Structure formats: C-alpha cells, structure tokens
Amino acid sequence: MFCSKCGSSLNKLIETTETSATSKSSKDTTTRGTKCLSFEEYASKKKEERATHFRSSSKKKAKPKDMETVALINIGLMKYVSFDMTTPVRGKSLPLKVNKDAKYAEVFSVALTKREAYDKSFDTKLSWKLVYPDGQYCLTLPGQEDQEFTLRKYKEDLGKPYNRITLYLCPEEPDFNPEASDEDQFDVTQDVRKRKRKDIAFVEDEIGCGGSQNIDVTKSGIETIPESKKQLDDPSCSSNGVSFDKSTWSDTWLPSNDDLLYASLLFDEQVPWSDSDNENVQEQSEEINKVNNDKQSLHDILVELNSNINPTQISKFNICRSHLWEGAVRGLNRKSFSPAHKVSIKFTDDVGVAEGAVDSGGPMREFFTLIMEWMVSSQLFCGTERDKYLSSISNYLTNDYYFYAGELIAMSIVHGGPGPRCFGEPLYDALTKGVLKASVNVDDVYDFELKNSLNTFKNASTVEEARKLISDSNNLETILDLAGTLQVFQTTEDVLNVVDKTAHWFVLERFQASLERFKAGLSILGVLDAMCMHYEQFRDVFCYSSCTFSADTFGSLFSFLRSEEGSNKYAIEGLVLSHWNDFLQDIEEQVIDGLSFFDILFFASGCKYIPPLGLALEISFLHTPEASGSRSRFPKANTCACDIYLPVIHNTYIEFKKDVTLAFLNTKGFGYA
C-alpha cells in the first residue's frame, strides 16, 4: 500500500504503530502487576536512599567525656567572720576551665587570674589561698594528709561531677579589725539573712517590745532582753489585739546557735562602722600582707610558678641569631605553642641539636638572654640603659608586639631565664600598683630637651616668669597642650603641679595602650599576679641593680668534680685550679682586655647574669683524650648542665691564660663552646 499524496509505503507506518501499541500495553500490564510496598519496606528503602545521598562531611568523632583533659568547675570567694571562722560570699562564684589533673598550684594560679580579670573588687594586695567549702586548705585531699590534691582525685573522692565542684579563694589571714563590734559578723554568715530596717519596725510593732533599746549585747551573743522577756513570760500578754503563746516565743530569746537568724534582724543598727575603723582594718591588712609576702623568697615563688610547666609537652622555636624577633614571634604563633610547655630551642645558624628530653636548658637560657637584650635595646622600649619605659609605636600595637614582649619576659623568668633588669621605677610601679598610683618626677623624663624645659619652668620664681617661658617656647606649650595640663597659673604651686602632671603623662599615661597589652602578656604563667603580691622580691628582676663580681664571689658559684684524692689526676687538677684562680684574679683587676665574668658565665650557662631561678655551676677537667688522640688545649662547656671543662695539659700559667682567654672570647653560644 502506498500514500496517494507522497507515494511512500504505508506498511512501515502500520508496523510502527502496532509495535508502539504492543509496548504500551506491555508496560501497563507490568505496572499493574507491580506489588505495593508495605510501610516497613518503604521506610527501609527511604533509609537506604538517604544514606546514599546525605553523608557527613566531618570525619571527626566526638571525644568521650572521660577522655577530655579540661573540666569546668566553680571558684568562689570566702571571707572571715571571726578569727577562726570563714564563710562563702554569695554571688561571687565564677566558672573556671582547668586541667583535670591540675594540682593545687595550677588551680590556684588560674583562679587568681580569672578572679582578677572578672572581679574589679578583688583585692590583689591580700595574700590568698585555695580552700574547700569547709575552709580546709586544698594542698591535700580532705581527711587524707598523705594524698596530694589533684582535681581528678578530689572529684572521684567527692563523688560529684566537675561542674558541681566549688573551691574558694580565701585570705590567708583575717582581713578585718578585731576591735570592731561582734554583731557585724552576723550579716556575713551563710545561714543568716540580713533584714532591712523596715522589717525591724514591723517586728517591734507586732511584739510591742520597744525595739532594740531593751536589748543588751555581750561578746557571747544575746544575753538579756528584760522587758520583752517579762511580757512574754505572761501568757496573757498581748499587743494590738494579738495574743502570744509562751511556748512559741520562749526559744526565740535563748542564746543558742539558732538565734543567729534573728540577730541580724534585731541588731542591724547597733554600732555603726566608722571611718577610723576602716583605716585600722586597711592598715592591719596591709601589715599582715607585708609580713606574709616577706616570708617567701623569690626563688620559692618562682619554683612554685615553675611547677605549672608541663615537661612532657614541648613548644618548639627555630631561631636564627641574626633574626631573633622574627623567629620568636613565629614560635609564639604556632598552633602547638603553649607558655606552660617545656621550651625547645633549635639554633639554625650552628651545628647544635634541638633541646628536647635529653637537654636541660642551655639553648633555652641562651635564647631568653639574647631575646631579652634585643627587646630592651629595640624600639619596643625607650629611655636610658638603666631606666627603660614602653614606647607607643602604631605598627607595633597593630602587630601586638607589646603583648609578645610581655609574654617572652614572663616565660623567661618562669622557665629559668633572666629578667629585663632595666625598667624604671615608675614603670614597675605602674605594672604592679597601677598608672595613677605610680609617682613620676622630672628626672624620670628621658627626653633631654623636655627635661631641661620642665626644670627651667619648675624653677621659675614667679608666675609671670612661668607664663613668659611658655610664651617663648612653642615646644613647651605644645607639650602642655597635648598632656592636657595647659592652664592659667595663679600661684607657683600651680606651676609645680603642672610640671608633675606633664612628667607623669609623658612617661606613663601616653603609653596606656602599650602598657595594657604588655601587662596582658606579662600575666602569662601568673607572673604579673606574683609581682603584685610580692612587690619587693620582683623589683630587682625588673629594675636596674648593680651586679658586680669579685674573683672570690665568682669562684664560689662553682662546685668542682675532682678525681680520687691522692691520684696523679688529683695532683694535676690542683695545679689547674691554681691557674684558674689566678685567671679570675686577672679578670677582676682588668688585666685581660675585653673579658669579664659575665662572658665566662655566658660561656658556661647561656646566661650573662644569674637568673632569678638560679644556676648550679660545676667545673670538671679534660683528662680524656679526644678523637685525635691528644687532650684538648681549650676549655669546653655543656651549657645544658652548666659545666665548664678545664684543660689539664698546661704546665705554665701563661699558656693556660692564652688558650682559655681565646676560648672565652671566641666561642660564645650554644654549639660553639
């Protein structure tokens, strides 16, 4: 069959139509024959589909709670209500994150830092301790004097979760006046609820007992209440139509412990607290704190701070001596860095090895010595060599260099390195007491031109002369204007006041931003808190103090590792020690040019001064031949162990002096000694 219009065959069209109809019929039959899924089958199918389409992007698994190293506990405040009784202060509890295995020193340090940061009323001048809720010292577990306190052990012994544990900061000594009235202690006990005066008036009206005028108070509490007691003894006694039962009120007037509940109600206004009482309390508190702080030596304080260092964890620094600051900042910003970890230094410009579990501090002490010298001579500080003050450079503030400087100084002191030993007294007072409490005079102004201008202005004999000096000097007028001290002078006292305020502004106040960041860094490892609590002990660590050695005092720093007495080696060592003592005498008399006791100390330990944490120096002798088969002519050192090894082959002092001097002057630093 063919189409009448186009002439194409119609057979193919019929076959195609039949095939399509057959396919459609088959599809309908198949669809109608499909079995409907049950709900369980449908849910299972959907679950498989979701599992294939929705996959978690995170491969990390949640850490079990028992594997977490940090716990959240509560730290409160406790105060004395008598010489032998303490009680918690309500509303002063703060959450605190601390290591679960933390000992007393770590918990106490972190608690002090948190309390000072979040509680402006916290008195850092007091000497504090960490106690349990019942007032016991936290050094050991309760009732177990042989068990040292750790947070984990205390939690297990107590049987409470970490977030239900509360420890308290308590003054070591009572901080109130013992002569004050005894009833004042009632309003601070935990179980007492202090009533306001309107509540007292209500009770007086209801009882009809004439108020607190009929009440006699002694040191032991409530002694007698004559009139009211007489009324209450009479069962028929009533007031304002209200009858009272003797059995109900008789126990109220008994001098028992339960009367504390009513004591604050009835004696709220017995004896007012006078200004003289406040002064006595403050003087007594300062005196107690001074005595307690003077008892502890600087070494003991630093040993306690150093106990928080974790020797199993390491913070690594890769340092090039020609780029100290850059390497130090890189190390401080490393993800694995923590100031409480052991410091490991690798000097990349020598052939030494990094300090790790084997080494014991030589490269670290050298690094802190060199970085300390770099910082105090850089633009981070300004002023003279012995009176340094913070600068205020915008770029340094942006990069937070002042924080890094404070952090490095704190780490150096706690880890066994040196302190700056160059701060001016006003800067040290500003760090420990606050900027406003630090006194500054004209001599502390390190700008020579401004100091001369202020001295001339200060010595003006009349107000007119002072005004003329300002008008003649544009620079002085500009400085006074910037300091906010430019004013109209009426008397010469106004002139002196302006000079002092301007000097204070120039030395401290204009660097407030730098000072705050520096203090934040210095608070690392509890150093700033320790400075505030032990002002005198830390003064020589930060401020300049002359350090001079004599041959005898320097020689006494070393112990000697000798051979067996009577042996040939022992006799040779005796000759070497006589040469050594003559060598020290020549240094004291400045016979040897360019060499000092500080160079020898740096050669032996990596420190140019005895660090606050101390050193244990030792002298040994080079009896053993080297790889070449001959014994060394030059001294050697192990800066990690702070040992000097003296050569034993010199028969004359001239030869000994020549070789030892050459070594000390040309082999400074780890990897060279």
Side-chain angles (χ1 to χ4, degrees):
M1 296 177 66
F2 298 93
C3 179
S4 60
K5 293 183 179 181
C6 63
S8 59
S9 176
L10 297 178
N11 293 330
K12 293 182 178 180
L13 180 61
I14 295 171
E15 291 175 0
T16 303
T17 305
E18 291 177 352
T19 303
S20 176
T22 304
S23 175
K24 183 177 180 182
S25 175
S26 175
K27 185 176 181 181
D28 293 341
T29 305
T30 304
T31 303
R32 289 194 299 269
T34 302
K35 182 181 178 181
C36 180
L37 297 177
S38 65
F39 177 80
E40 290 78 6
E41 292 173 340
Y42 176 78
S44 177
K45 179 181 178 182
K46 284 297 181 182
K47 185 177 180 180
E48 291 177 359
E49 290 178 357
R50 292 193 186 98
T52 57
H53 292 289
F54 299 93
R55 295 182 181 177
S56 175
S57 61
S58 175
K59 296 182 180 180
K60 296 183 179 180
K61 295 183 178 179
K63 220 176 194 180
K65 286 190 176 181
D66 56 347
M67 296 296 291
E68 295 179 357
T69 58
V70 178
L72 187 67
I73 64 173
N74 300 299
I75 292 293
L77 275 184
M78 190 170 283
K79 67 187 299 183
Y80 280 87
V81 294
S82 69
F83 282 106
D84 57 353
M85 186 171 70
T86 58
T87 184
V89 181
R90 297 188 55 138
K92 290 292 185 179
S93 180
L94 289 175
L96 183 71
K97 285 187 177 180
V98 67
N99 194 300
K100 290 183 179 180
D101 294 316
K103 297 183 180 180
Y104 173 89
E106 182 179 351
V107 178
F108 178 64
S109 176
V110 177
L112 277 179
T113 304
K114 182 71 173 283
R115 176 59 60 181
E116 184 179 3
Y118 289 87
D119 188 359
K120 295 300 182 183
S121 63
F122 184 70
D123 190 359
T124 57
K125 294 181 180 180
L126 292 178
S127 183
W128 297 86
K129 63 181 179 181
L130 195 66
V131 298
Y132 294 116
D134 61 351
Q136 294 185 63
Y137 218 161
C138 283
L139 289 175
T140 59
L141 294 179
Q144 306 177 47
E145 296 181 357
D146 58 336
Q147 290 291 329
E148 184 182 8
F149 170 87
T150 65
L151 189 57
R152 188 185 296 274
K153 289 181 181 178
Y154 178 61
K155 182 255 183 186
E156 294 173 354
D157 190 48
L158 185 62
K160 290 184 178 181
Y162 286 104
N163 60 359
R164 297 289 302 277
I165 292 177
T166 303
L167 300 176
Y168 295 87
L169 289 171
C170 178
E172 290 190 356
E173 297 291 339
D175 56 341
F176 64 94
N177 189 354
E179 299 299 328
S181 56
D182 291 341
E183 60 269 13
D184 288 337
Q185 64 181 310
F186 293 130
D187 59 357
V188 293
T189 54
Q190 187 177 18
D191 295 328
V192 174
R193 305 295 180 264
K194 189 173 181 179
R195 305 299 197 268
K196 295 184 179 180
R197 186 59 194 169
K198 62 181 182 180
D199 296 324
I200 301 175
F202 170 78
V203 173
E204 291 174 353
D205 292 338
E206 289 295 314
I207 301 177
C209 62
S212 59
Q213 297 177 353
N214 298 325
I215 302 173
D216 296 332
V217 181
T218 65
K219 291 185 178 181
S220 60
I222 306 173
E223 184 178 79
T224 57
I225 308 180
E227 297 298 328
S228 302
K229 190 68 172 70
K230 290 178 181 178
Q231 293 179 9
L232 293 174
D233 285 340
D234 186 1
S236 62
C237 176
S238 63
S239 177
N240 297 330
V242 180
S243 299
F244 295 91
D245 188 354
K246 178 179 178 180
S247 61
T248 304
W249 286 87
S250 59
D251 293 337
T252 306
W253 306 111
L254 294 178
S256 64
N257 293 333
D258 295 335
D259 291 334
L260 293 177
L261 179 62
Y262 303 97
S264 61
L265 177 68
L266 297 174
F267 307 135
D268 193 26
E269 298 180 2
Q270 276 291 307
V271 181
W273 187 270
S274 64
D275 293 336
S276 61
D277 291 331
N278 287 329
E279 294 174 0
N280 293 335
V281 170
Q282 185 176 1
E283 291 176 359
Q284 183 186 14
S285 175
E286 292 177 355
E287 184 177 352
I288 292 174
N289 289 334
K290 183 177 180 181
V291 172
N292 290 336
N293 292 340
D294 290 342
K295 290 179 181 178
Q296 200 169 8
S297 66
L298 176 62
H299 182 269
D300 294 338
I301 298 168
L302 293 180
V303 167
E304 184 177 347
L305 294 178
N306 183 264
S307 65
N308 297 321
I309 303 301
N310 185 358
T312 62
Q313 300 290 329
I314 294 178
S315 293
K316 296 182 179 180
F317 289 78
N318 297 306
I319 302 297
C320 178
R321 288 185 176 88
S322 58
H323 298 82
L324 286 167
W325 183 250
E326 185 209 3
V329 172
R330 284 201 321 268
L332 294 175
N333 287 315
R334 186 168 288 111
K335 184 178 180 180
S336 61
F337 167 77
S338 171
H341 291 171
K342 179 180 171 64
V343 175
S344 173
I345 303 297
K346 167 62 179 175
F347 287 110
T348 59
D349 50 356
D350 59 33
V351 294
V353 295
E355 181 196 8
V358 177
D359 296 325
S360 57
M364 177 192 67
R365 285 191 293 269
E366 181 183 348
F367 165 69
F368 282 131
T369 298
L370 296 177
I371 196 65
M372 198 72 65
E373 289 181 346
W374 186 93
M375 286 191 298
V376 298
S377 60
S378 70
Q379 293 183 341
L380 286 166
F381 296 90
C382 48
T384 63
E385 184 179 352
R386 298 182 179 181
D387 290 285
K388 291 289 185 179
Y389 299 93
L390 287 169
S391 63
S392 183
I393 300 177
S394 176
N395 187 39
Y396 286 4
L397 283 170
T398 302
N399 294 319
D400 214 10
Y401 283 176
Y402 296 100
F403 175 84
Y404 296 146
E407 187 174 22
L408 286 169
I409 291 175
M411 289 177 61
S412 176
I413 294 172
V414 175
H415 283 267
R421 299 185 69 254
C422 62
F423 285 5
E425 289 282 348
L427 177 57
Y428 182 69
D429 289 344
L431 291 172
T432 55
K433 300 177 182 179
V435 174
L436 297 180
K437 293 184 179 180
S439 60
V440 179
N441 55 48
V442 180
D443 294 334
D444 296 321
V445 176
Y446 48 84
D447 185 273
F448 182 75
E449 183 180 353
L450 178 59
K451 181 191 287 188
N452 288 338
S453 299
L454 290 177
N455 276 324
T456 304
F457 186 63
K458 180 179 180 180
N459 295 328
S461 56
T462 61
V463 174
E464 289 73 16
E465 182 181 352
R467 292 172 181 169
K468 188 175 184 303
L469 287 172
I470 293 178
S471 61
D472 293 344
S473 175
N474 292 329
N475 291 337
L476 181 59
E477 184 177 4
T478 302
I479 291 294
L480 295 180
D481 191 15
L482 289 174
T485 56
L486 186 61
Q487 64 180 55
V488 177
F489 305 106
Q490 303 293 337
T491 63
T492 55
E493 292 182 358
D494 294 341
V495 175
L496 298 177
N497 189 32
V498 165
V499 170
D500 291 339
K501 288 183 177 180
T502 304
H504 195 278
W505 169 83
F506 182 83
V507 173
L508 296 178
E509 292 181 28
R510 67 192 183 109
F511 305 127
Q512 189 71 31
S514 306
L515 183 65
E516 291 302 320
R517 293 307 298 154
F518 185 75
K519 288 175 65 177
L522 202 59
S523 64
I524 297 296
L525 299 175
V527 173
L528 183 61
D529 293 335
M531 290 167 57
C532 297
M533 295 173 64
H534 308 279
Y535 176 87
E536 292 295 336
Q537 286 90 328
F538 280 88
R539 183 200 294 269
D540 291 340
V541 179
F542 287 87
C543 300
Y544 174 78
S545 60
S546 61
C547 180
T548 57
F549 287 114
S550 65
D552 293 335
T553 56
F554 187 79
S556 65
L557 297 176
F558 293 86
S559 60
F560 300 93
L561 185 61
R562 302 287 301 272
S563 300
E564 184 179 355
E565 188 173 355
S567 64
N568 293 335
K569 291 182 178 180
Y570 187 86
I572 294 174
E573 290 166 5
L575 176 62
V576 174
L577 288 178
S578 67
H579 291 166
W580 172 254
N581 290 330
D582 285 343
F583 183 74
L584 297 182
Q585 193 67 38
D586 285 347
I587 294 177
E588 180 182 358
E589 297 172 359
Q590 299 181 354
V591 175
I592 306 174
D593 294 335
L595 185 64
S596 67
F597 291 117
F598 305 109
D599 295 323
I600 300 176
L601 191 61
F602 187 65
F603 177 88
S605 66
C607 287
K608 295 185 178 180
Y609 298 92
I610 301 296
L613 204 53
L615 289 174
L617 301 167
E618 187 176 73
I619 289 181
S620 302
F621 302 91
L622 293 171
H623 291 290
T624 306
E626 296 182 333
S628 61
S630 61
R631 290 179 294 186
S632 176
R633 297 171 47 221
F634 303 102
K636 296 184 177 181
N638 181 353
T639 57
C640 295
C642 300
D643 289 348
I644 293 181
Y645 301 92
L646 296 178
V648 296
I649 66 171
H650 303 96
N651 294 322
T652 64
Y653 174 66
I654 299 299
E655 294 176 351
F656 177 86
K657 176 181 176 180
K658 177 182 176 182
D659 290 339
V660 171
T661 302
L662 179 65
F664 286 156
L665 288 177
N666 294 280
T667 55
K668 300 176 181 178
F670 181 78
Y672 296 105

